[in-house]
Amino acid sequence: MILLWVIVGLVIAAVAIVLYACAAVSSMDARSRERDEFFREMHKEMHKDLKEDADQSLHRDAGREKLSD
């Protein structure tokens, strides 16, 4: 009888460990998705800023060419 209760206790402990591990992985996955989204947005902003800088540089260069003519 005692052996049965030990086995039941071990099964309950194993289930608890598995559920805890699943929750931890789920939490890590959610944080990973948030981090990915953050870097994706930063990447978009960086490309937008680089494009604006390049456009401004082209306009500046075009203005200089007109002045030198």
Side-chain angles (χ1 to χ4, degrees), residues 24-67:
V25 167
S26 176
S27 172
M28 286 176 19
D29 193 35
R31 278 185 261 142
S32 176
R33 273 186 259 122
E34 289 174 2
R35 186 181 61 241
D36 289 347
E37 183 62 30
F38 172 75
F39 283 117
R40 196 172 300 120
E41 287 299 319
M42 283 195 57
H43 193 178
K44 285 179 188 176
E45 294 268 333
M46 184 180 67
H47 274 285
K48 189 171 101 178
D49 290 345
L50 287 173
K51 186 177 182 320
E52 289 173 0
D53 289 346
D55 289 344
Q56 288 176 358
S57 178
L58 285 174
H59 290 300
R60 238 187 347 257
D61 291 345
R64 284 187 196 142
E65 288 177 8
K66 286 182 181 178
L67 289 176

